Amino acid sequence: MTALVVITDCDHDSVDPERAVLDGHDVELRVLQCRTPEEVAAQAGDAEVLINQYVPITGTALDALPRCRLVVRYGVGVDNVDVEAAAERGVWVANVPDYGRDEVADHTLALALSLLRGVVVLDRSVRDGRWDLETARPLRRLSALTWGVVGCGAIGRGVAGRAAGLGMRVVGYDLPQVPSEPPIERVGLEELLEVADLVSLHAALTAESRHLIGPEALGRMRPTAYLVNTARGGLVDAAALLAALDAGELAGAALDVLEGEPPDDLGWRLARHPRVVATPHAAWYSEEAFHTLKSEVAREALRVLAGESPRSPVNTPAARP
């Protein structure tokens, strides 16, 4: 019997890479544009695999899809999937954790340097007709600075190596703690916030880490320090960050992600703030990363349809009856 693989929603201009992987197998690929779990339940029918981008996948939706064996996300985060509910129903949840690892680390460095070297501020000044460096003062020598990495997984370690290559001291904190390795000096979160000249976020978004950077954390940072977030918008309390920037309690921020995307009113106020450099959730992107992401979700589908475990599971499903 032909297996049904359903793309629940997708804003890509083509699904040719997915089709190229699935071609030659007894698989039907159906592309939907669901916006709610109810639409998934109503339209995904007899799907054995869901390839998912943004639409929430709830336990109720999965109850309507009794043949579903896998939900695989376009990306790393699975915060829009009820992972526990899937496991209870015998459904794997998987992601693609490594498709844009270098790109995110590189983008983090680019954003950080745009702050630390005043690139965006100076560019704006030149466009306004000024030809002096006063708007960016004071700038510090990079080798005199400390970079704090929150989340020391593969991307965090990649960022740490890049920062150390510029001569910076690197301190790191993890939730939960994992063994330390050079060039990261492991410290507690409070110490990291207090000593770092720049803090970059690379943690997963969980109930524990939501608004990890809120009023208390921001209050511990130096008024000359910067915040960079290329992980998940929900790690940062946007209202608290906006207030800190308005009050001059933080030198600036660089944000590739916001808690709501596309931005709501608060998000736009933050993204357009004169002390903020913003990019539209683009840190992951290169043509190579994009192709890898799309190919790998299809390969995960074939693995599970063949009775294998996914390469990158994020849960352990209960045995199916």
Side-chain angles (χ1 to χ4, degrees):
M1 182 177 178
T2 299
L4 176 61
V5 175
V6 168
I7 297 177
T8 60
D9 58 314
C10 181
D11 61 8
H12 308 161
D13 58 2
S14 165
V15 293
D16 289 347
E18 295 91 327
R19 292 191 188 280
V21 171
L22 297 174
D23 279 351
H25 299 271
D26 194 13
V27 173
E28 175 191 350
L29 179 64
R30 184 180 301 166
V31 182
L32 306 177
Q33 290 298 346
C34 299
R35 292 294 176 261
T36 67
E38 291 75 19
E39 290 179 356
V40 174
Q43 298 179 37
D46 291 330
E48 294 186 49
V49 175
L50 299 181
I51 297 175
N52 168 257
Q53 189 171 17
Y54 301 124
V55 65
I57 304 298
T58 63
T60 302
L62 292 172
D63 285 339
L65 310 173
R67 298 188 64 198
C68 185
R69 291 190 268 164
L70 169 69
V71 178
V72 56
R73 277 219 66 246
Y74 283 117
V76 180
V78 292
D79 38 286
N80 65 319
V81 179
D82 190 331
V83 176
E84 184 175 344
E88 291 171 353
R89 290 159 176 77
V91 177
W92 289 103
V93 178
N95 63 357
V96 189
D98 47 5
Y99 73 100
R101 183 177 294 169
D102 287 340
E103 285 79 0
V104 175
D106 290 341
H107 199 85
T108 302
L109 182 64
L111 290 176
L113 290 177
S114 74
L115 295 172
L116 295 172
R117 292 301 308 160
V119 174
V120 173
V121 170
L122 290 169
D123 177 73
R124 291 170 181 166
S125 177
V126 170
R127 292 173 186 274
D128 287 339
R130 300 179 60 181
W131 193 259
D132 61 59
L133 57 78
E134 291 303 313
T135 55
R137 295 185 68 185
L139 299 180
R140 301 279 310 284
R141 180 174 293 171
L142 295 182
S143 59
L145 303 180
T146 297
W147 186 312
V149 174
V150 177
C152 300
I155 293 173
R157 293 194 303 271
V159 169
R162 287 159 171 79
L166 295 172
M168 301 176 73
R169 177 193 178 204
V170 182
V171 295
Y173 167 78
D174 243 327
L175 244 179
Q177 289 281 2
V178 297
S180 182
E181 60 182 71
I184 300 172
E185 302 172 32
R186 196 63 56 131
V187 297
L189 180 59
E190 292 182 0
E191 182 180 349
L192 182 149
L193 294 170
E194 291 168 358
V195 304
D197 298 288
L198 182 139
V199 175
S200 63
L201 306 181
H202 312 286
L205 180 60
T206 64
E208 185 180 11
S209 65
R210 183 173 294 277
H211 289 185
L212 181 68
I213 305 300
E216 182 179 350
L218 291 164
R220 291 187 178 277
M221 294 178 66
R222 301 175 180 183
T224 56
Y226 297 96
L227 177 70
V228 178
N229 188 8
T230 55
R232 281 291 181 267
L235 294 172
V236 178
D237 182 332
L241 176 57
L242 185 61
L245 292 166
D246 282 342
E249 296 168 355
L250 198 67
L255 307 172
D256 183 59
V257 289
L258 297 170
E259 193 158 11
E261 297 177 6
D264 55 16
D265 179 66
L266 176 60
W268 279 120
R269 288 164 58 200
L270 189 56
R272 291 167 172 164
H273 195 281
R275 294 178 182 267
V276 169
V277 177
T279 54
H281 206 140
W284 63 272
Y285 171 71
S286 71
E287 283 298 305
E288 292 83 357
F290 194 36
H291 189 273
T292 297
L293 172 65
K294 292 168 72 61
S295 299
E296 188 54 34
V297 294
R299 291 191 185 98
E300 287 285 50
L302 291 180
R303 290 185 188 101
V304 171
L305 291 173
E308 303 172 14
S309 300
R311 180 182 72 96
S312 300
V314 298
N315 71 346
T316 302
R320 299 174 70 92

